[in-house]
Amino acid sequence: MAVHEVTQDLRTRATETQAGQPARYALRLLGGFGLERDGRAVAVPQGARRLLAYLGVRQRCARSEAAGTLWPGSHEERARANLRTMLWRLHRVTPEPLVEEDDRLSLAARVTSDVATLGAAATALLAGGAPVAVGPGVPALATGELLPGWYDDWVLTERERLRQTQLYALETLAEWLTTRRRFGEAVQVALTAVQLEPLRESATRALITVHLAERNINEAVRRFELFRVDLHRELGVAPTPWLEHLVQAGRSGSALPYP
């Protein structure tokens, strides 16, 4: 470690001791990798990022799982050696350990991951509970994709899983807001789902349902026509009769949702 790094490390520890408060870390994986210590960016070596990111997604795993996933083309002993090296490097990044090591590996209690936060919010919502927090505009569920620009097999798998989780949660949240006549927020949430997946009918249906509920029939019909054109151009198929029936019923005023 360079002299200036040692000096900075000592200053950091002294400041924390004087404040009497343990440092808190925020690990950002959605929209790009980032680590902050009490709001300040922390530089993490490229290799150590992979291990920290994996634990940020998995939260807790066996050493053999981490080694085999992060170094899939290496012999088992070599993969385990690589893991030990990465753990050593990671322990040198911050004054406090970011990873807890016992029979398994996990993020330290002082480290929060945006993936874990998203997962908890989505799980609660899909289980029928109220959203953790819903404010004006797009909620915290509408975050960026997992680690854009990373192409490890495990990242690609987790990216798609999280994308599906986001979509289901956003659609559920839009319905929850609509039933409570919070139409402005519901429209923003449904639009976010449509932007994530423009050809997903359930996302468009959530948006159309909001427009119908607020008696904005013209907007509902316009959104349906846009979806129909895009679906035919991209996939050569038509919307389901269910969606078309919903729009036609709204046009006639015979079945407007959430009176």
Side-chain angles (χ1 to χ4, degrees):
M1 182 181 291
V3 173
H4 74 279
E5 292 176 320
V6 173
T7 303
Q8 180 61 42
D9 182 41
L10 292 174
R11 287 175 179 170
T12 300
R13 291 174 183 267
T15 300
E16 181 181 323
T17 301
Q18 292 170 4
Q21 296 292 331
R24 307 297 299 178
Y25 292 86
L27 176 61
R28 186 184 73 249
L29 304 175
L30 300 168
F33 183 94
L35 179 67
E36 293 183 351
R37 181 181 191 270
D38 291 335
R40 295 186 176 184
V42 176
V44 181
Q46 188 63 42
R49 289 185 179 192
R50 297 175 65 236
L51 175 57
L52 196 58
Y54 186 69
L55 292 176
V57 171
R58 296 285 291 134
Q59 300 302 302
R60 188 173 176 82
C61 68
R63 288 171 176 268
S64 58
E65 176 189 332
T69 301
L70 296 176
W71 294 276
S74 300
H75 187 274
E76 181 178 352
E77 287 303 317
R78 181 58 182 170
R80 287 179 177 273
N82 289 339
L83 178 61
R84 288 192 296 271
T85 300
M86 286 302 101
L87 285 167
W88 177 79
R89 289 180 179 175
L90 204 50
H91 287 322
R92 293 168 61 88
V93 169
T94 58
E96 310 83 7
L98 299 173
V99 176
E100 293 180 355
E101 301 180 58
D102 43 37
D103 57 324
R104 299 169 73 81
L105 301 176
S106 63
L107 289 181
R110 63 177 58 86
V111 183
T112 60
S113 164
D114 57 357
V115 170
T117 301
L118 169 65
T123 298
L125 194 59
L126 294 172
V132 174
V134 181
V138 179
L141 288 169
T143 47
E145 72 173 11
L146 176 68
L147 297 169
W150 292 37
Y151 300 104
D152 308 58
D153 288 344
W154 72 269
V155 173
L156 298 178
T157 300
E158 291 294 335
R159 183 181 295 156
E160 178 59 21
R161 182 184 67 80
L162 284 172
R163 191 179 73 89
Q164 292 296 326
T165 297
Q166 285 176 289
L167 286 166
Y168 279 116
L170 287 166
E171 291 164 2
T172 301
L173 180 56
E175 180 179 358
W176 187 90
L177 291 166
T178 302
T179 59
R180 286 154 181 80
R181 305 187 64 80
R182 294 166 62 173
F183 299 131
E185 292 166 282
V187 166
Q188 293 301 313
V189 171
L191 276 171
T192 301
V194 170
Q195 290 166 0
L196 280 175
E197 185 48 79
L199 301 182
R200 182 180 171 98
E201 182 166 310
S202 55
T204 294
R205 184 171 67 246
L207 180 56
I208 288 174
T209 299
V210 181
H211 290 317
L212 293 177
E214 62 179 345
R215 306 301 194 265
N216 199 343
I217 310 303
N218 288 340
E219 195 63 33
V221 172
R222 186 185 73 85
R223 178 56 61 175
F224 173 78
E225 291 300 327
L226 286 173
F227 178 68
R228 182 181 61 78
V229 170
D230 289 345
L231 203 61
H232 183 268
R233 182 181 64 248
E234 298 296 330
L235 302 178
V237 298
T240 65
W242 185 14
L243 184 62
E244 189 166 1
H245 174 74
L246 175 65
V247 176
Q248 292 300 331
R251 260 179 170 161
S252 65
S254 61
L256 292 173
Y258 311 119

